[in-house]
Amino acid sequence: MNTSKTLQFALLSLAVIGGMILLPQGLGLYSVELLNIFLVNVILVCSYRMTVTTGDWGLAHIVMMGVGGYSAALLAKDAGFSIYLTIPAAGLIAAFVAYVMSLPLSRTVGFGYFIASFAIAELVRLSWLKFDTLFGGVRGLINIPIGKVFGYSLFDPVIYYYLSLAVAVICLMLMFQIDRSRIGIVWRSLSTDADLARSGGINVSYYRKLAFMCGSAFAGVAGALLVHRLGSVDPKGFDLTTMIYLVIWVVVGGTGSFWGPIAGLIVMTFFFEWTREFLAWRPLFFGGILILFLIFLPNGLDGLLRKLFDKVTSRGGAKQ
Amino acid sequence: MLEIKNLKVSYDKVEVLHGLSLNVNEGEVVALVGANGAGKSTTLRAVSGLVRADAGTITLDGRRIDGASAVDVTRAGIAHVPEGRRVFAEMSVKENLLVGAFQRSDKDGIARDLASVFERFPRLEERQIQMSGTLSGGEQQMLAIGRALMSDPSVVLMDEPTLGLAPLMCRQIVKIVRELNSQGKTIVLVEQNARMALSVADRAYVIEKGEISVTGTGQELLHNPDIKKAYLGIA
Ligand SMILES: Nc1ncnc2c1ncn2[C@@H]1O[C@H](COP(=O)(O)OP(=O)(O)O)[C@@H](O)[C@H]1O
Ligand SMILES: [Mg+2]
């Protein structure tokens, strides 16, 4: 990026963040609650993209969010940690669990990885059901303390919104930097041609593990934000259906750029709200959209916009 | 500098190299020629740690590198330009080059080598933000070579760099091989285009069914009647 582009980008980011700061003022409490969930999901989709840049499309991500959620809940309830501590701790614990899971997972590739990631994540999820003295079984954990920031109670959705916004902005900045760093470049090289990366001296299994751990850390942070807001956590919230929604957001947005998954999330969140009346039909709509995108727009909205942009800029230009 | 002794390699229990030996001295261009399926690529893959040797040894400056991982072999100073002009198609030219430098940590050295790759291949500099998949075949081969150079190797293994390229482009690649060599790189060149390979090589080995059948200087082999008949298409 040259300096004028960097400046444009910085101004645009500031404008978006400024808009996000003003946003709750004109909205009712219900909408602010939706925004709180939306911010959690923004972190979630970006962190999922982080792991799939290596080409490892898996089904474990939502459970990694759950690991963060349960960690935050237990630390707040049993150890009395404040929310300042539970959020980063949830990220670290999720990264550690991801490391353990990646030991067997990194031995699988492609379809094998896809299925194995589901199996191993389900194992984690079942342990929440099985060890009910610790995790509360099917009912999960309730009465999770929420606490205060700067003397303001976080029960107020608007106050919680500002906390979530701050956490989301920090997470996105970190993920954006990682994506553009040499580590991000290597991750993308793995999805393009892992053998070639290996012949260039890249330790493929190390970088796959690292991507899964980093993505899971941010998913864990998202999980902590979620359970503090809801005040409860249970295994149902991290099941396959929820995972499929995450896949749809990311596929619709496209993983080609950092912003694709966020665009997918925004579009599908509106779609989700519009289809509230057709509750029974919703899975069908969403399944249909997933299939249509996979067939006609495999690079998602991001790929579509890029193509249109290339068409517009090449017209009248160097076109023969 | 690079020495292979009695190398045996198999794929799924089928042995394809049956005790192959060769050596490469520092500063040489050594060509490996032979028919399709003879085992040329497998030899290079064994050196760069991409396939395991069943038996035999590979040493670089007297240190064993057989059994080392591809990461360690690259660190030791061997770069591999695999066959088929492979580039990371969905990544930009510059990103491709940076991936090549990944195991290095000397920022200044990387910047210097990036500048020298761009100097060597001005087309790549012009196209540095373009997706590599959109480059022409010749440009992709330059990128593949450039990426290998980014690891600052002392030995470069090139697998059929001219395959499928137009004659003008082939001559360009020959020129690059000569240039790299005169700048101190040791080069192992695998080619089916035996005439081209023998004319640039100091020495050459002919590989036949997983073994060395003939060896000599490039000029000797160019004028060897058997070689002429088998590989140069001259009766
Ligand atoms: N990945 C592989 N799996 C199984 N057999 C292979 C593989 N790669 C090469 N071979 C076999 O090994 C032999 C040598 O191949 P190769 O080294 O690619 O030859 P060359 O590069 O000289 O054309 C061939 O018979 C080929 O069919
Ligand atoms: Mg070959």
Side-chain angles (χ1 to χ4, degrees):
Chain A
M1 256 202 260
N2 55 34
T3 42
S4 84
K5 259 195 174 161
T6 313
L7 190 67
Q8 272 177 20
F9 178 70
L11 287 176
L12 186 68
S13 314
L14 281 180
V16 170
I17 294 171
M20 294 292 285
I21 289 174
L22 294 178
L23 195 55
Q25 304 308 328
L27 293 175
L29 287 189
Y30 175 72
S31 304
V32 177
E33 290 291 11
L34 285 185
L35 280 178
N36 281 329
I37 303 300
F38 171 76
L39 287 174
V40 167
N41 288 337
V42 167
I43 302 174
L44 185 66
V45 288
C46 288
S47 64
Y48 187 49
R49 173 181 179 270
M50 182 174 253
T51 65
V52 304
T53 49
T54 63
D56 283 340
W57 285 86
L59 294 174
H61 204 72
I62 204 77
V63 168
M64 305 322 293
M65 182 196 201
V67 171
Y70 272 95
S71 306
L74 288 173
L75 289 174
K77 264 176 88 98
D78 297 349
F81 278 32
S82 80
I83 195 164
Y84 292 125
L85 287 174
T86 58
I87 290 176
L92 290 177
I93 294 171
F96 174 74
V97 174
Y99 170 71
V100 175
M101 289 165 72
S102 74
L103 295 176
L105 276 181
S106 66
R107 296 174 167 272
T108 60
V109 290
F111 184 66
Y113 178 88
F114 186 72
I115 296 302
S117 67
F118 172 69
I120 203 162
E122 201 60 5
L123 202 68
V124 173
R125 215 172 66 85
L126 290 177
S127 74
W128 297 333
L129 288 166
K130 189 84 192 143
F131 300 108
D132 49 2
T133 41
L134 184 59
F135 298 119
V138 69
R139 291 187 49 228
L141 302 169
I142 53 170
N143 298 328
I144 298 165
I146 190 163
K148 295 179 173 194
V149 282
F150 304 120
Y152 294 102
S153 168
L154 285 167
F155 275 117
D156 182 343
V158 178
I159 302 296
Y160 201 84
Y161 172 81
Y162 287 121
L163 174 74
S164 303
L165 185 61
V167 174
V169 168
I170 292 170
C171 286
L172 257 58
M173 283 192 329
L174 286 172
M175 285 190 270
F176 187 70
Q177 284 308 325
I178 295 173
D179 187 55
R180 294 169 42 117
S181 72
R182 291 209 286 163
I183 294 177
I185 295 176
V186 167
W187 284 343
R188 268 173 279 140
S189 79
L190 300 187
S191 69
T192 324
D193 192 337
D195 281 341
L196 182 56
R198 193 174 284 117
S199 82
I202 287 170
N203 187 338
V204 173
S205 121
Y206 171 82
Y207 281 101
R208 288 177 64 206
K209 284 182 195 146
L210 187 65
F212 185 54
M213 284 171 65
C214 290
S216 298
F218 288 106
V221 167
L225 274 182
L226 181 71
V227 304
H228 277 295
R229 184 67 230 155
L230 299 179
S232 66
V233 56
D234 65 71
K236 184 84 185 63
F238 310 103
D239 64 0
L240 188 61
T241 313
T242 322
M243 183 65 221
I244 301 289
Y245 276 112
L246 175 55
V247 171
I248 292 172
W249 293 333
V250 173
V251 167
V252 165
T255 54
S257 80
F258 187 80
W259 310 108
I262 301 179
L265 171 66
I266 293 174
V267 169
M268 294 318 286
T269 301
F270 276 110
F271 189 73
F272 193 83
E273 289 302 311
W274 287 331
T275 53
R276 216 162 255 293
E277 291 166 50
F278 314 100
L279 203 59
W281 294 91
R282 223 189 237 160
L284 195 68
F285 288 152
F286 276 77
I289 286 175
L290 180 61
I291 291 169
L292 286 177
F293 267 82
L294 287 174
I295 296 174
F296 296 109
L297 287 174
N299 297 319
L301 295 173
D302 172 68
L304 179 68
L305 288 179
R306 220 174 270 250
K307 238 186 228 157
L308 291 176
F309 184 75
D310 284 350
K311 274 228 177 83
V312 172
T313 49
S314 70
R315 188 180 300 154
K319 215 171 175 187
Q320 287 99 336
Chain B
M1 153 170 245
L2 179 67
E3 186 152 25
I4 301 178
K5 272 195 190 140
N6 278 317
L7 180 66
K8 293 186 181 173
V9 173
S10 34
Y11 292 110
D12 303 325
K13 309 228 164 84
V14 181
E15 193 174 275
V16 299
L17 295 184
H18 320 285
L20 177 143
S21 301
L22 60 83
N23 76 298
V24 179
N25 301 315
E26 186 160 3
E28 273 188 321
V29 178
V30 170
L32 308 183
V33 297
N36 205 354
K40 306 181 296 294
S41 298
T42 304
T43 306
L44 296 193
R45 291 169 63 80
V47 171
S48 59
L50 295 171
V51 293
R52 289 274 152 266
D54 295 338
T57 59
I58 306 173
T59 54
L60 178 69
D61 297 325
R63 278 180 32 226
R64 290 275 294 263
I65 56 166
D66 50 277
S69 68
V71 181
D72 293 332
V73 173
T74 314
R75 282 224 177 91
I78 297 182
H80 187 175
V81 185
E83 64 190 323
R85 293 199 284 280
R86 277 161 72 179
V87 296
F88 298 109
E90 286 159 31
M91 293 167 57
S92 74
V93 168
K94 189 170 172 193
E95 287 176 334
N96 263 269
L97 293 172
L98 290 178
V99 169
F102 196 71
Q103 78 294 30
R104 296 170 63 180
S105 49
D106 55 324
K107 277 212 163 103
D108 297 342
I110 293 171
R112 207 172 330 110
D113 284 348
L114 188 65
S116 88
V117 166
F118 281 153
E119 197 179 326
R120 195 185 300 278
F121 305 116
R123 314 260 316 168
L124 296 185
E125 180 163 29
E126 288 160 25
R127 282 147 211 260
Q128 54 177 305
I129 58 167
Q130 201 169 314
M131 289 292 129
S132 315
T134 64
L135 299 179
S136 74
E139 289 163 348
Q140 288 187 358
Q141 186 59 273
M142 290 178 182
L143 180 56
I145 296 171
R147 189 185 51 229
L149 294 176
M150 287 302 292
S151 67
D152 192 23
S154 47
V155 183
V156 184
L157 314 175
M158 293 193 185
D159 200 342
E160 310 219 25
T162 66
L163 190 71
L165 294 184
L168 194 67
M169 205 62 224
C170 292
R171 277 203 289 279
Q172 182 99 28
I173 301 282
V174 170
K175 209 179 115 213
I176 291 163
V177 170
R178 288 219 170 93
E179 251 172 46
L180 288 174
N181 183 238
S182 70
Q183 290 162 2
K185 307 274 186 218
T186 304
I187 289 168
V188 181
L189 180 64
V190 160
E191 270 295 339
Q192 275 192 61
N193 181 346
R195 186 187 308 280
M196 177 243 146
L198 294 178
S199 64
V200 278
D202 298 311
R203 289 188 305 114
Y205 292 87
V206 179
I207 302 186
E208 233 170 275
K209 301 202 182 85
E211 279 164 308
I212 301 293
S213 64
V214 192
T215 175
T217 66
Q219 289 306 314
E220 275 167 17
L221 295 195
L222 264 180
H223 298 106
N224 176 320
D226 293 339
I227 305 287
K228 274 187 175 171
K229 203 166 144 194
Y231 298 107
L232 302 175
I234 305 165

